Structures are given as C-alpha cells and as structure tokens.
Coordinates of all heavy atoms in Angstrom, one line a residue:
M1 N -2.5 10.5 -4.1 CA -3.0 9.6 -3.0 C -4.5 9.9 -2.8 O -5.3 8.9 -3.0 CB -2.2 10.0 -1.7 CG -2.8 9.3 -0.5 SD -2.8 7.6 -0.5 CE -1.1 7.3 -0.3
K2 N -4.9 11.1 -2.6 CA -6.3 11.4 -2.4 C -7.1 11.1 -3.6 O -8.1 10.4 -3.6 CB -6.5 12.8 -2.0 CG -6.3 13.1 -0.5 CD -7.0 14.3 -0.1 CE -6.7 14.6 1.4 NZ -5.6 15.6 1.5
K3 N -6.6 11.5 -4.8 CA -7.3 11.3 -6.0 C -7.5 9.9 -6.4 O -8.4 9.5 -7.1 CB -6.7 12.1 -7.1 CG -5.5 11.5 -7.8 CD -5.1 12.3 -9.1 CE -3.7 12.1 -9.5 NZ -3.2 10.9 -9.8
D4 N -6.6 9.0 -5.9 CA -6.7 7.6 -6.3 C -7.6 6.8 -5.3 O -7.7 5.6 -5.5 CB -5.3 7.0 -6.3 CG -4.4 7.6 -7.4 OD1 -5.0 7.9 -8.5 OD2 -3.2 7.8 -7.2
G5 N -8.1 7.4 -4.3 CA -9.1 6.7 -3.5 C -8.5 5.9 -2.4 O -9.2 5.2 -1.7
C6 N -7.2 5.9 -2.3 CA -6.5 5.0 -1.3 C -6.9 5.4 0.1 O -7.0 4.5 1.0 CB -5.0 5.1 -1.4 SG -4.4 5.1 -3.1
V7 N -7.1 6.7 0.3 CA -7.4 7.1 1.7 C -8.7 6.6 2.2 O -9.0 6.7 3.4 CB -7.4 8.7 1.8 CG1 -5.9 9.2 1.7 CG2 -8.2 9.3 0.8
A8 N -9.6 6.1 1.3 CA -10.9 5.6 1.8 C -10.6 4.4 2.7 O -11.4 4.1 3.6 CB -11.7 5.1 0.6
C9 N -9.5 3.7 2.5 CA -9.2 2.5 3.2 C -7.9 2.5 4.0 O -7.6 1.6 4.8 CB -9.1 1.3 2.3 SG -10.7 1.0 1.4
H10 N -7.0 3.5 3.7 CA -5.7 3.6 4.4 C -5.5 4.9 5.0 O -5.9 6.0 4.5 CB -4.6 3.4 3.4 CG -4.6 2.0 2.8 ND1 -4.1 0.9 3.4 CD2 -4.9 1.5 1.5 CE1 -4.1 -0.1 2.6 NE2 -4.7 0.2 1.5
A11 N -4.8 4.9 6.2 CA -4.3 6.2 6.8 C -2.8 5.9 7.0 O -2.4 4.8 7.0 CB -5.1 6.5 8.0
I12 N -2.1 7.0 7.3 CA -0.7 6.9 7.5 C -0.4 6.1 8.8 O 0.5 5.2 8.8 CB 0.0 8.3 7.5 CG1 -0.1 8.8 6.1 CG2 1.5 8.2 7.9 CD1 0.4 10.3 5.9
D13 N -1.1 6.5 9.8 CA -0.6 6.0 11.2 C -1.6 5.2 11.9 O -1.5 4.9 13.1 CB -0.1 7.2 12.0 CG -1.2 8.2 12.1 OD1 -2.3 8.1 11.5 OD2 -1.0 9.2 12.8
K14 N -2.8 4.9 11.2 CA -3.7 4.0 11.9 C -4.4 3.1 10.9 O -4.6 3.4 9.7 CB -4.7 4.8 12.8 CG -5.5 5.7 12.0 CD -6.5 6.4 12.9 CE -7.6 7.1 12.2 NZ -7.2 8.3 11.4
K15 N -4.8 1.9 11.4 CA -5.5 1.0 10.6 C -6.9 1.5 10.3 O -7.6 2.0 11.1 CB -5.6 -0.4 11.3 CG -6.2 -1.5 10.5 CD -6.0 -2.8 11.4 CE -6.3 -4.0 10.6 NZ -7.8 -4.2 10.3
V16 N -7.3 1.5 9.0 CA -8.7 1.8 8.7 C -9.4 0.5 8.2 O -9.6 -0.3 9.0 CB -8.8 2.9 7.6 CG1 -10.2 3.4 7.3 CG2 -8.0 4.2 8.0
I17 N -9.5 0.3 6.9 CA -9.9 -1.0 6.4 C -8.6 -1.8 6.1 O -8.5 -2.9 6.4 CB -10.8 -0.9 5.2 CG1 -12.1 -0.2 5.6 CG2 -11.1 -2.2 4.6 CD1 -13.1 0.2 4.5
G18 N -7.7 -1.1 5.4 CA -6.4 -1.6 5.1 C -5.4 -1.2 6.2 O -5.7 -0.4 7.1
P19 N -4.2 -1.8 6.2 CA -3.2 -1.5 7.2 C -2.7 -0.1 7.1 O -2.7 0.5 6.0 CB -2.1 -2.5 6.8 CG -2.3 -2.8 5.4 CD -3.8 -2.8 5.2
A20 N -2.2 0.5 8.2 CA -1.6 1.8 8.2 C -0.3 1.7 7.4 O 0.4 0.7 7.4 CB -1.2 2.2 9.7
Y21 N -0.1 2.8 6.6 CA 1.1 2.8 5.7 C 2.4 2.7 6.5 O 3.3 2.1 6.1 CB 1.1 4.1 4.9 CG 0.1 4.0 3.8 CD1 -0.5 5.2 3.3 CD2 -0.3 2.8 3.1 CE1 -1.5 5.1 2.3 CE2 -1.2 2.8 2.1 CZ -1.8 3.9 1.7 OH -2.7 3.9 0.6
Q22 N 2.4 3.2 7.8 CA 3.6 3.1 8.6 C 3.9 1.6 8.9 O 5.0 1.2 9.0 CB 3.5 3.9 9.9 CG 3.7 5.3 9.6 CD 3.6 6.2 10.9 OE1 3.1 5.7 11.9 NE2 4.1 7.4 10.9
E23 N 2.8 0.8 9.1 CA 3.0 -0.6 9.3 C 3.5 -1.3 8.1 O 4.3 -2.2 8.2 CB 1.7 -1.2 9.8 CG 1.3 -0.9 11.2 CD -0.1 -1.5 11.6 OE1 -0.4 -2.6 11.1 OE2 -0.9 -0.8 12.2
V24 N 3.0 -0.9 6.9 CA 3.4 -1.5 5.7 C 4.9 -1.2 5.5 O 5.7 -2.1 5.3 CB 2.6 -0.9 4.5 CG1 3.2 -1.5 3.2 CG2 1.1 -1.3 4.6
A25 N 5.3 0.0 5.8 CA 6.7 0.4 5.6 C 7.6 -0.4 6.6 O 8.7 -0.9 6.2 CB 6.9 1.9 5.9
A26 N 7.1 -0.6 7.8 CA 7.9 -1.4 8.8 C 8.0 -2.8 8.4 O 9.0 -3.5 8.6 CB 7.2 -1.2 10.2
K27 N 6.9 -3.4 7.9 CA 6.9 -4.8 7.5 C 7.9 -5.1 6.4 O 8.6 -6.1 6.4 CB 5.5 -5.2 7.1 CG 5.3 -6.7 6.7 CD 3.9 -6.9 6.3 CE 3.7 -8.3 5.6 NZ 3.5 -9.3 6.6
Y28 N 8.0 -4.2 5.5 CA 8.9 -4.4 4.3 C 10.2 -3.8 4.4 O 11.0 -3.8 3.5 CB 8.2 -4.0 3.0 CG 7.0 -4.8 2.7 CD1 5.7 -4.4 3.1 CD2 7.1 -6.1 2.1 CE1 4.6 -5.2 2.8 CE2 6.0 -6.9 1.8 CZ 4.8 -6.4 2.2 OH 3.7 -7.2 1.9
K29 N 10.5 -3.3 5.6 CA 11.8 -2.6 5.8 C 12.9 -3.7 5.6 O 12.9 -4.8 6.1 CB 11.8 -2.2 7.3 CG 13.0 -1.3 7.7 CD 12.8 -1.0 9.2 CE 14.1 -0.5 9.8 NZ 14.0 -0.4 11.2
G30 N 13.9 -3.3 4.8 CA 15.1 -4.2 4.6 C 14.8 -5.2 3.5 O 15.7 -6.0 3.1
D31 N 13.6 -5.2 2.9 CA 13.3 -6.0 1.7 C 13.6 -5.3 0.5 O 12.9 -4.3 0.1 CB 11.9 -6.5 1.8 CG 11.5 -7.4 0.7 OD1 12.2 -7.5 -0.3 OD2 10.4 -8.1 0.8
K32 N 14.6 -5.6 -0.3 CA 15.0 -4.8 -1.4 C 14.0 -5.0 -2.6 O 14.0 -4.2 -3.5 CB 16.4 -5.0 -1.8 CG 16.8 -6.4 -2.3 CD 18.2 -6.5 -2.8 CE 18.7 -7.9 -3.1 NZ 17.8 -8.9 -3.5
D33 N 13.2 -6.0 -2.5 CA 12.2 -6.2 -3.6 C 10.9 -5.6 -3.2 O 9.9 -5.8 -4.0 CB 12.1 -7.7 -3.9 CG 13.3 -8.3 -4.4 OD1 14.1 -7.7 -5.1 OD2 13.6 -9.5 -4.0
A34 N 10.8 -5.0 -2.1 CA 9.5 -4.5 -1.6 C 8.8 -3.6 -2.6 O 7.6 -3.8 -2.8 CB 9.7 -3.7 -0.2
A35 N 9.5 -2.7 -3.2 CA 8.9 -1.7 -4.1 C 8.2 -2.5 -5.2 O 7.0 -2.2 -5.5 CB 9.9 -0.7 -4.6
T36 N 8.9 -3.4 -5.8 CA 8.4 -4.2 -7.0 C 7.2 -5.0 -6.5 O 6.1 -5.0 -7.2 CB 9.4 -5.1 -7.5 OG1 10.7 -4.5 -7.5 CG2 9.1 -5.6 -8.9
K37 N 7.3 -5.7 -5.4 CA 6.2 -6.5 -4.9 C 5.0 -5.7 -4.6 O 3.9 -6.0 -4.9 CB 6.7 -7.2 -3.6 CG 7.0 -8.6 -3.8 CD 7.2 -9.3 -2.4 CE 8.5 -9.0 -1.8 NZ 8.9 -9.8 -0.7
L38 N 5.2 -4.6 -3.9 CA 4.0 -3.8 -3.5 C 3.3 -3.1 -4.7 O 2.1 -3.0 -4.7 CB 4.5 -2.7 -2.5 CG 4.8 -3.3 -1.1 CD1 5.3 -2.2 -0.2 CD2 3.7 -4.0 -0.5
V39 N 4.1 -2.7 -5.7 CA 3.5 -2.1 -6.9 C 2.5 -3.1 -7.5 O 1.4 -2.9 -7.8 CB 4.5 -1.7 -7.9 CG1 3.9 -1.4 -9.3 CG2 5.3 -0.4 -7.4
D40 N 3.0 -4.4 -7.6 CA 2.2 -5.5 -8.1 C 1.0 -5.7 -7.3 O -0.1 -5.8 -7.8 CB 3.1 -6.7 -8.1 CG 2.8 -7.6 -9.3 OD1 2.8 -7.1 -10.4 OD2 2.6 -8.8 -9.1
N41 N 1.1 -5.8 -5.9 CA 0.0 -6.0 -5.1 C -1.0 -4.9 -5.1 O -2.2 -5.2 -5.0 CB 0.5 -6.2 -3.6 CG 1.2 -7.6 -3.5 OD1 1.3 -8.3 -4.4 ND2 1.7 -7.8 -2.3
V42 N -0.5 -3.7 -5.2 CA -1.5 -2.6 -5.2 C -2.3 -2.6 -6.5 O -3.5 -2.4 -6.5 CB -0.8 -1.2 -5.1 CG1 -1.7 -0.1 -5.3 CG2 -0.2 -1.1 -3.7
K43 N -1.6 -2.9 -7.6 CA -2.3 -2.9 -8.9 C -3.4 -4.0 -9.0 O -4.5 -3.9 -9.5 CB -1.4 -3.0 -10.1 CG -0.6 -1.7 -10.3 CD 0.2 -1.8 -11.6 CE -0.6 -1.9 -12.8 NZ -1.2 -0.6 -13.1
K44 N -3.0 -5.2 -8.5 CA -3.8 -6.4 -8.7 C -4.7 -6.6 -7.5 O -5.7 -7.4 -7.6 CB -3.0 -7.6 -8.9 CG -2.2 -7.6 -10.2 CD -1.7 -9.0 -10.5 CE -0.5 -9.0 -11.4 NZ 0.7 -9.7 -10.9
G45 N -4.5 -5.9 -6.4 CA -5.2 -6.1 -5.2 C -4.6 -7.3 -4.5 O -3.7 -8.0 -5.0
G46 N -5.0 -7.5 -3.2 CA -4.3 -8.6 -2.5 C -5.2 -8.9 -1.3 O -6.1 -8.2 -0.9
V47 N -4.9 -10.1 -0.7 CA -5.6 -10.5 0.5 C -4.7 -11.5 1.2 O -3.8 -12.1 0.6 CB -6.9 -11.2 0.1 CG1 -6.8 -12.5 -0.6 CG2 -7.8 -11.4 1.4
G48 N -4.9 -11.6 2.5 CA -4.2 -12.6 3.3 C -2.8 -12.2 3.9 O -2.3 -12.9 4.7
V49 N -2.3 -11.0 3.4 CA -1.1 -10.6 4.0 C -1.3 -9.9 5.4 O -0.6 -10.1 6.3 CB -0.4 -9.5 3.1 CG1 1.0 -9.1 3.7 CG2 -0.2 -10.1 1.7
W50 N -2.4 -9.2 5.4 CA -2.8 -8.4 6.6 C -4.0 -8.9 7.3 O -4.4 -8.4 8.4 CB -2.9 -6.9 6.3 CG -1.7 -6.4 5.8 CD1 -1.3 -6.4 4.5 CD2 -0.6 -5.8 6.5 NE1 0.0 -5.8 4.4 CE2 0.4 -5.4 5.6 CE3 -0.4 -5.5 7.9 CZ2 1.6 -4.8 6.0 CZ3 0.8 -4.9 8.3 CH2 1.7 -4.6 7.3
G51 N -4.7 -9.8 6.7 CA -6.0 -10.2 7.3 C -6.9 -10.7 6.2 O -6.5 -10.9 5.1
Q52 N -8.2 -10.9 6.5 CA -9.1 -11.5 5.6 C -9.8 -10.5 4.7 O -10.6 -10.9 3.8 CB -10.0 -12.4 6.3 CG -9.4 -13.7 6.8 CD -8.5 -14.4 5.8 OE1 -8.9 -14.7 4.7 NE2 -7.2 -14.6 6.1
I53 N -9.6 -9.2 5.0 CA -10.3 -8.3 4.1 C -9.4 -8.0 2.9 O -8.3 -7.6 3.0 CB -10.5 -6.9 4.9 CG1 -11.2 -7.2 6.2 CG2 -11.3 -6.0 4.0 CD1 -11.1 -6.0 7.2
P54 N -9.9 -8.2 1.7 CA -9.1 -8.0 0.5 C -9.0 -6.6 0.1 O -10.0 -5.8 0.4 CB -9.8 -8.8 -0.6 CG -11.3 -8.9 -0.1 CD -11.3 -8.7 1.4
M55 N -7.9 -6.2 -0.5 CA -7.9 -4.9 -1.2 C -8.3 -5.2 -2.7 O -7.7 -6.0 -3.3 CB -6.4 -4.3 -1.1 CG -6.3 -3.1 -2.0 SD -4.9 -2.1 -1.6 CE -3.5 -3.1 -2.1
P56 N -9.2 -4.4 -3.1 CA -9.6 -4.6 -4.6 C -8.5 -4.2 -5.5 O -7.7 -3.3 -5.1 CB -10.9 -3.8 -4.7 CG -10.8 -2.8 -3.6 CD -10.0 -3.4 -2.5
P57 N -8.5 -4.6 -6.7 CA -7.5 -4.2 -7.6 C -7.6 -2.7 -7.9 O -8.7 -2.2 -8.0 CB -7.8 -5.0 -8.9 CG -8.7 -6.0 -8.6 CD -9.4 -5.6 -7.3
N58 N -6.5 -2.0 -8.0 CA -6.5 -0.6 -8.3 C -6.1 -0.3 -9.7 O -5.1 0.4 -10.0 CB -5.6 0.2 -7.3 CG -6.2 0.1 -5.9 OD1 -7.2 0.8 -5.6 ND2 -5.6 -0.7 -5.0
A59 N -6.8 -1.0 -10.7 CA -6.3 -1.0 -12.0 C -6.5 0.4 -12.7 O -5.8 0.6 -13.7 CB -7.1 -2.0 -12.8
Q60 N -7.3 1.2 -12.1 CA -7.5 2.5 -12.8 C -6.4 3.5 -12.5 O -6.2 4.5 -13.1 CB -8.8 3.1 -12.3 CG -8.8 3.8 -10.9 CD -8.7 2.9 -9.7 OE1 -8.6 1.7 -9.9 NE2 -8.7 3.4 -8.5
V61 N -5.5 3.1 -11.5 CA -4.4 4.0 -11.2 C -3.2 3.7 -12.1 O -2.9 2.5 -12.3 CB -4.0 3.7 -9.7 CG1 -2.9 4.7 -9.3 CG2 -5.2 3.8 -8.8
S62 N -2.6 4.7 -12.6 CA -1.5 4.5 -13.6 C -0.3 3.9 -12.9 O -0.1 4.1 -11.7 CB -1.2 5.9 -14.3 OG -0.4 6.7 -13.4
D63 N 0.5 3.2 -13.7 CA 1.7 2.6 -13.2 C 2.6 3.7 -12.5 O 3.2 3.4 -11.4 CB 2.6 2.0 -14.4 CG 2.0 0.7 -14.8 OD1 0.8 0.4 -14.5 OD2 2.7 0.0 -15.6
A64 N 2.7 4.8 -13.1 CA 3.6 5.8 -12.6 C 3.1 6.3 -11.2 O 3.9 6.5 -10.2 CB 3.7 7.0 -13.5
D65 N 1.8 6.4 -11.1 CA 1.2 6.8 -9.8 C 1.4 5.8 -8.7 O 1.7 6.1 -7.6 CB -0.3 7.1 -9.9 CG -0.6 8.5 -10.5 OD1 0.3 9.2 -10.9 OD2 -1.8 8.8 -10.6
V66 N 1.2 4.5 -9.1 CA 1.4 3.4 -8.1 C 2.8 3.4 -7.6 O 3.1 3.3 -6.4 CB 1.0 2.0 -8.7 CG1 1.3 0.9 -7.7 CG2 -0.5 2.0 -9.0
K67 N 3.8 3.5 -8.5 CA 5.2 3.5 -8.2 C 5.5 4.7 -7.2 O 6.2 4.5 -6.2 CB 6.0 3.7 -9.4 CG 6.4 2.3 -10.0 CD 7.5 2.5 -11.1 CE 7.4 1.3 -12.0 NZ 7.5 1.6 -13.4
E68 N 4.9 5.8 -7.5 CA 5.2 7.0 -6.6 C 4.6 6.8 -5.3 O 5.2 7.1 -4.3 CB 4.5 8.2 -7.3 CG 5.4 9.4 -7.3 CD 4.7 10.5 -8.1 OE1 5.0 10.5 -9.3 OE2 3.9 11.3 -7.6
L69 N 3.3 6.2 -5.2 CA 2.7 6.0 -4.0 C 3.5 5.0 -3.1 O 3.7 5.2 -1.9 CB 1.3 5.4 -4.2 CG 0.3 6.5 -4.7 CD1 -1.0 5.8 -5.3 CD2 -0.2 7.4 -3.5
V70 N 3.9 3.9 -3.8 CA 4.6 2.8 -3.0 C 6.0 3.4 -2.5 O 6.3 3.2 -1.4 CB 4.9 1.6 -3.9 CG1 5.9 0.7 -3.3 CG2 3.5 0.9 -4.1
A71 N 6.7 4.2 -3.4 CA 7.9 4.7 -2.9 C 7.7 5.6 -1.7 O 8.5 5.6 -0.8 CB 8.5 5.5 -4.1
W72 N 6.6 6.4 -1.8 CA 6.3 7.3 -0.6 C 6.0 6.5 0.6 O 6.5 6.8 1.7 CB 5.1 8.2 -1.1 CG 4.6 9.0 0.1 CD1 5.2 10.1 0.7 CD2 3.4 8.7 0.8 NE1 4.4 10.5 1.7 CE2 3.3 9.7 1.8 CE3 2.3 7.8 0.7 CZ2 2.2 9.8 2.7 CZ3 1.3 7.9 1.5 CH2 1.2 8.9 2.5
I73 N 5.1 5.4 0.4 CA 4.8 4.6 1.6 C 6.0 4.0 2.3 O 6.1 4.1 3.5 CB 3.8 3.5 1.2 CG1 2.5 4.0 0.8 CG2 3.6 2.4 2.3 CD1 1.6 3.0 0.0
L74 N 7.0 3.6 1.5 CA 8.2 3.0 2.0 C 9.1 4.0 2.8 O 10.0 3.6 3.5 CB 8.9 2.2 1.0 CG 8.2 1.0 0.4 CD1 8.9 0.4 -0.8 CD2 8.0 -0.1 1.5
T75 N 8.8 5.3 2.6 CA 9.6 6.2 3.3 C 9.0 6.5 4.7 O 9.6 7.3 5.5 CB 9.7 7.6 2.6 OG1 8.4 8.2 2.5 CG2 10.3 7.5 1.2
L76 N 7.9 5.9 5.0 CA 7.1 6.3 6.2 C 7.6 5.6 7.5 O 7.1 5.9 8.5 CB 5.6 6.1 6.0 CG 5.0 6.9 4.9 CD1 3.5 6.5 4.7 CD2 5.1 8.4 5.3
K77 N 8.5 4.6 7.3 CA 8.8 3.8 8.5 C 9.5 4.7 9.6 O 10.2 5.7 9.3 CB 9.8 2.7 8.1 CG 11.1 3.1 7.5 CD 11.9 1.9 7.1 CE 13.2 2.3 6.4 NZ 13.0 2.5 5.0
K78 N 9.2 4.4 10.8 CA 9.6 5.2 11.9 C 11.1 4.9 12.3 O 11.5 3.8 12.1 CB 8.7 5.0 13.1 CG 7.4 5.7 13.0 CD 6.6 5.5 14.2 CE 5.4 4.6 13.9 NZ 4.5 4.4 15.0
Ligands
HEC1 C1 -11.4 -0.8 -0.6 C2 -10.4 -0.5 0.4 C3 -8.9 -0.3 -0.2 C4 -8.5 0.7 -1.1 C5 -9.4 1.6 -1.9 C6 -7.1 0.6 -1.2 N1 -6.6 -0.4 -0.3 FE1 -4.7 -0.9 0.0 N2 -5.3 -2.5 1.2 C7 -6.6 -2.7 1.6 C8 -6.6 -3.9 2.4 C9 -7.9 -4.5 3.1 C10 -5.3 -4.4 2.5 C11 -4.7 -5.7 3.2 C12 -4.7 -6.8 2.1 C13 -4.1 -8.1 2.6 O1 -4.3 -8.5 3.8 O2 -3.3 -8.7 1.8 C14 -4.5 -3.4 1.7 C15 -3.1 -3.5 1.6 C16 -2.3 -2.6 1.0 C17 -0.8 -2.6 0.9 C18 0.1 -3.7 1.5 C19 0.1 -4.8 0.5 C20 1.0 -6.0 0.9 O3 1.1 -6.9 0.0 O4 1.5 -6.0 2.0 C21 -0.4 -1.4 0.3 C22 1.0 -1.0 -0.1 C23 -1.6 -0.7 -0.1 N3 -2.7 -1.4 0.3 C24 -1.6 0.5 -0.8 C25 -2.8 1.0 -1.4 C26 -2.8 2.1 -2.4 C27 -1.5 2.9 -2.8 C28 -4.1 2.4 -2.7 C29 -4.6 3.4 -3.7 C30 -4.1 3.2 -5.1 C31 -4.9 1.4 -1.9 N4 -4.1 0.6 -1.2 C32 -6.3 1.4 -2.0 C33 -7.7 -1.9 1.3 C34 -7.7 -0.9 0.3

C-alpha cells in the first residue's frame, strides 16, 4: 500500500484526494463483482464515481498487488 503510492491520495477513514477506503468498501458492499471492477478501475484510473478529481492509472502496480489491495479495501467496511 505505502510502496505503491496509494496513501498519497487515500486514507482508510477519511477523504484525502480520493475517497476513504471505508467509504469505497461501504459503496460496493453486497456487489459480488466489486473486486473485479475495482481492480480494473485502480489499474486504469477512473473519474466520475466519486467526484470530478480523476485517479490516474496505476499501471506500475502489479496485478497481484492491485488484487491484494482491493481485497483488503473491501474488508474495511464497518
Ligand atoms: C493521485 C491521487 C491518487 C492515487 C495515487 C491513487 N488514487 Fe485511488 N482514487 C483517487 C481519486 C481522485 C478517486 C476517485 C475517482 C472517481 O471519482 O471515480 C480514486 C478512487 C479509488 C477507488 C474507487 C474506484 C471506484 O471505481 O469506485 C479505489 C478502490 C482506489 N482509488 C484505490 C487506489 C489504490 C489501491 C491506489 C494505489 C495503487 C490508488 N487508489 C492510488 C486518487 C488517487
């Protein structure tokens, strides 16, 4: 997480530039395709889901790392 630079824009429990991971987990709660969708969005970047600030593509992060990060994020729901 730290090494991939995600923390520059995300925190677990508060909005920084991107949404708090707990909010992401809450939003996708009950969506069985969430993990697949989020892996895709994290790799390619995204905009418009949470606001007008885009997340740049995180292409330098390996597939395995992105999957692990997304799986972890989805466990954070309260
Ligand atoms: C330069 C800032 C920045 C960095 C670096 C960044 N993000 Fe984001 N992230 C954002 C913004 C802004 C959004 C909201 C995009 C939107 O509205 O669609 C976002 C959205 C997300 C979402 C929700 C996507 C969705 O479709 O709902 C996830 C999950 C996420 N980021 C994970 C990560 C992970 C994991 C990393 C590190 C590999 C990372 N982010 C790095 C800014 C960033």
Side-chain angles (χ1 to χ4, degrees):
M1 168 65 70
K2 280 203 183 96
K3 81 172 156 56
D4 294 322
C6 315
V7 289
C9 299
H10 293 283
I12 291 175
D13 56 358
K14 59 177 194 296
K15 187 172 189 286
V16 184
I17 295 173
Y21 285 148
Q22 282 179 344
E23 284 174 40
V24 175
K27 182 180 168 83
Y28 292 96
K29 192 177 158 191
D31 182 344
K32 62 175 170 32
D33 299 324
T36 321
K37 256 191 285 193
L38 289 179
V39 166
D40 216 47
N41 289 357
V42 170
K43 286 187 69 70
K44 294 195 199 124
V47 65
V49 183
W50 297 89
Q52 288 315 304
I53 308 164
M55 172 162 67
N58 292 287
Q60 81 287 2
V61 186
S62 75
D63 283 15
D65 279 5
V66 173
K67 269 189 203 138
E68 223 172 273
L69 286 162
V70 166
W72 171 74
I73 291 165
L74 291 172
T75 65
L76 296 175
K77 60 180 178 278
K78 282 183 252 182

